[in-house]
Amino acid sequence: QTKIGQSIDVMTGVTATDTCGNDITAKIVTVGRYTFDQAGDYDIKYVVTDLIDSRAEVSVKLHVTN
């Protein structure tokens, strides 16, 4: 959650590891459109694929308030 005009890094605190425990955070891709200039709820999807093409995704809501 954030306020209009106050941008945040949507990757803060987001991490990923593969099945062997290797850090693959750098491979995370965010999908979704959002703005910090208008109040609303925005869907953001985090998607990551490891070396053996195993894929994981998690969806969150970004809430921008007045």
Side-chain angles (χ1 to χ4, degrees):
Q1 181 172 325
T2 191
K3 293 185 178 196
I4 291 176
Q6 181 180 351
S7 64
I8 59 170
D9 180 355
V10 297
M11 288 300 295
T12 298
V14 178
T15 62
T17 55
D18 65 15
T19 54
C20 296
N22 299 309
D23 183 1
I24 57 170
T25 301
K27 294 183 177 198
I28 297 173
V29 176
T30 58
V31 180
R33 298 186 67 161
Y34 56 91
T35 181
F36 301 112
D37 298 329
Q38 184 175 350
D41 290 322
Y42 301 93
D43 294 316
I44 300 174
K45 185 186 300 184
Y46 297 93
V47 181
V48 67
T49 305
D50 68 9
L51 290 175
I52 59 171
D53 287 332
S54 292
R55 178 183 165 131
E57 56 184 66
V58 174
S59 295
V60 298
K61 285 227 187 269
L62 170 62
H63 185 67
V64 179
T65 61
N66 290 322

